[in-house]
Every structure is written in C-alpha cells, then in structure tokens.
Amino acid sequence: MQTLFSLFSIYIFILLGFFAKQTFKDKLDEKTLVLISIYFLQPFLILWGFSSKTIDLEIIKAPLIFLFIVLVIFVFAFFISRFLFADRQDRSIFIVTSIIGNTGNLGIPIGLLLFGKDSVIYTTFINIINIFLVYIIGVFFYSLGSYSIKESIKNIFKLPAIWFVALAVFLNLSHFEYPKEFELPLKMGAYATMVVQLFIFGMYLKSVEFKKIEWKSFWSVNIFKFIFIPLITFFLLNMFELDRYVYNIILLELIVPIAVMNVNLASLYNCKPSKVAFLTFATSVLFLGYLVLFVKFVF
C-alpha cells in the first residue's frame, strides 16, 4: 500500500499539468515545454545519472540483458504492427509505446521502493539503455510518421541527448570527478527535467477526447505490454544465470508504463501526441493493478 501511495505522489505533477492546461488553455504551449525539456534540461539528467557510480562490467550485465530482451520484443512488435495497422503513424505508435517504458522518473523510484537503495545502480543503467532506445527507436519511428526514412535517421542525431550520453560515458570511464560546485546545478536540472516531463504529460491528457479513442490501439498496446512482454521476458530471463534480485528488477523495468518522453517526441514530430498521451495514461492505470500482483507474488 505504501508503494502505491508513493506512486500516486509522483503523479501529482501530471495532475498539475492537466489542471494548468484546463485553466489557462491556449496560453500554455505544450511544444514549447517539450523543446525546453529535450534541448536544455535533458542533458542535466543524463550527466547527473552518470556521475553517481563508476561503470562496472558486473553492473552493466543487467542493462545488457534488458537491451537484448527489448530488441527481441521489438522484432515481434514490428511485424505485429504491420498486421494490425495500415496507417504508418499508428504502426509507429504501437511499436514505440509497446516496447519503451518509463524507466527513469517512474522505474527508478519504484525500484527504490520495492528493492531498496542497492537497486538504484541497476535501474539507473537500465534507464541509460532506455534513453538510447527512446532516442534511436523512438525518434526514428515517430519521425517516420511525418518524414522520410533518410530524414528520420538525421533527426536522431539532431537531438542533444545522444551526444550527452556519449560525453557522460566518456567522463565516467575517464574517472572524471565533477567539481562540488557543479553537483547542485546537475541535481536541480535532473529533477527539473522529470517534473517538466510529468507536467507536459498532464497537459496532453487534457487534449484527449475520450469519445474518439481508438480502442484497437488501446487493446493492442496493453495486451502486448502486460501479457505478451511478461511471457517472453520470463522465457528469456531463464536463459541467463541471474540472482533473483536482479531478475526481478529487470522484469519490473520491462513492464513499467509508457515513458512520458514518448509524448514529447510524438509532439515534436507531429505523430498524434494526444493519442500517445492517452495510451500512456491507460498503461499507467493498468500498471497499478499489475504492480499490486507483482508485490503480492514477488515479496
């Protein structure tokens, strides 16, 4: 119960975004906040996340397994999307919202609540892998809905996150220590990023017209997310010799709800952001029930 209350407290910022948009309407521009978050705040989160621990081969085993499973799931999602949807944007939305979860401002705190402080190093590096997925798979497919394949590939490298992840990895492996004067600004920027992302999500939810919901996308994404992905994850995780603790962390991070960043990118590339916002909200609600079962059977 404490876990669920803590989860609800995170969602306060989503509610604030929703009511802010409801109150101020067109005076608030979602895309402006998206640009601020992606181009100016996201680098702080990346640099801060890499500054806490030195990369270790044993530690990165979990995120590498996470990446392997996501790529396997991606192949299934790609072919299933072509069977389910004729529209290229709808296929892109199904692929990205099915495989990319909110491993950052949701997965990390939930991992901390369920598994304790020792889980942070694992969930942080899993989130790093997820950042690559968001900015490669996510950008490519959302962009593909409105751009050519060539332009979509270029769009991946236009975003600063890719370059800041490379910089952060280099600094970490070089054992670079940030001056103490930089610690507070990095932390402030990282927390600001998470808050702004949740706020933007709430603003997009205000634009969702529930009467026009495409239930085909709703059921397709959620069945894939909460039935297919756990089944294939159970199968693949048993291929590796893993401590049960790490096993459960990877499983949890693979079924966390859709990332708020998905809404940002869908907006940035005009790929039906309101639809993505609703799917993000729907998976978040269903995840609460899933989390209750997870806590009941794992602990």
Side-chain angles (χ1 to χ4, degrees):
M1 186 61 69
Q2 182 182 358
T3 302
L4 295 179
F5 280 127
S6 298
L7 183 60
F8 282 126
S9 68
I10 296 171
Y11 281 27
I12 287 174
F13 296 105
I14 297 176
L15 291 175
L16 287 174
F18 180 89
F19 288 120
K21 185 65 177 178
Q22 184 179 51
T23 303
F24 298 105
K25 298 181 174 61
D26 293 338
K27 293 180 181 179
L28 285 180
D29 181 14
E30 296 93 322
K31 187 164 275 190
T32 297
L33 290 179
V34 169
L35 293 172
I36 291 173
S37 175
I38 291 176
Y39 284 94
F40 297 99
L41 294 177
Q42 192 70 219
F44 285 94
L45 179 62
I46 294 167
L47 292 173
W48 176 73
F50 273 96
S51 66
S52 58
K53 296 282 184 180
T54 302
I55 295 175
D56 179 273
L57 289 178
E58 186 61 29
I59 289 173
I60 66 172
K61 182 179 178 181
L64 289 177
I65 292 173
F66 172 88
L67 175 62
F68 167 71
I69 295 174
V70 170
L71 292 177
V72 172
I73 293 170
F74 165 74
V75 173
F76 281 96
F78 179 80
F79 287 105
I80 290 173
S81 70
R82 302 187 73 83
F83 173 76
L84 291 175
F85 303 100
D87 181 74
R88 190 161 65 172
Q89 284 193 335
D90 288 334
R91 289 201 300 265
S92 297
I93 290 170
F94 173 80
I95 292 169
V96 181
T97 56
S98 293
I99 67 173
I100 296 179
N102 193 349
T103 59
N105 50 17
L106 196 58
I108 292 175
I110 290 178
L112 184 62
L113 288 168
L114 294 180
F115 304 110
K117 188 177 180 180
D118 289 342
S119 70
V120 174
I121 187 63
Y122 295 101
T123 54
T124 297
F125 279 102
I126 285 175
N127 186 51
I128 291 164
I129 295 294
N130 204 52
I131 288 173
F132 275 106
L133 293 171
V134 169
Y135 283 100
I136 295 176
I137 294 177
V139 170
F140 177 79
F141 279 97
Y142 279 142
S143 180
L144 191 61
S146 302
Y147 298 84
S148 67
I149 292 178
K150 183 178 180 180
E151 289 172 323
S152 297
I153 294 173
K154 286 182 178 179
N155 285 334
I156 295 171
F157 297 99
K158 287 180 180 178
L159 297 177
I162 290 292
W163 305 107
F164 273 93
V165 167
L167 173 63
V169 170
F170 172 77
L171 293 175
N172 187 292
L173 293 175
S174 301
H175 303 287
F176 175 80
E177 293 187 9
Y178 293 95
K180 289 186 177 181
E181 293 80 6
F182 285 5
E183 291 178 3
L184 182 59
L186 282 177
K187 188 174 183 179
M188 290 174 63
Y191 277 82
T193 308
M194 292 186 280
V195 171
V196 170
Q197 287 178 355
L198 292 169
F199 198 86
I200 293 168
F201 175 36
M203 292 174 66
Y204 275 113
L205 282 180
K206 179 63 183 66
S207 64
V208 173
E209 297 182 47
F210 289 92
K211 293 181 180 179
K212 297 182 179 180
I213 291 170
E214 296 179 28
W215 291 104
K216 182 179 180 180
S217 294
F218 170 82
W219 289 114
S220 298
V221 168
N222 284 291
I223 288 173
F224 193 85
K225 184 77 175 175
F226 294 117
I227 297 179
F228 179 82
I229 289 180
L231 288 175
I232 197 168
T233 300
F234 280 127
F235 175 77
L236 293 175
L237 281 178
N238 288 325
M239 295 170 55
F240 303 94
E241 291 185 7
L242 287 171
D243 182 88
R244 195 68 188 178
Y245 180 80
V246 178
Y247 181 104
N248 289 329
I249 289 174
I250 296 173
L251 175 60
L252 175 68
E253 295 303 301
L254 280 162
I255 53 94
V256 290
I258 299 169
V260 176
M261 183 56 70
N262 286 345
V263 183
N264 294 354
L265 295 178
S267 170
L268 193 62
Y269 299 112
N270 300 313
C271 191
K272 302 181 180 179
S274 295
K275 181 176 181 177
V276 176
F278 171 73
L279 290 172
T280 305
F281 172 74
T283 57
S284 298
V285 172
L286 292 176
F287 176 72
L288 295 178
Y290 206 103
L291 186 59
V292 172
L293 295 175
F294 187 88
V295 172
K296 181 178 179 180
F297 290 106
V298 171
F299 296 94

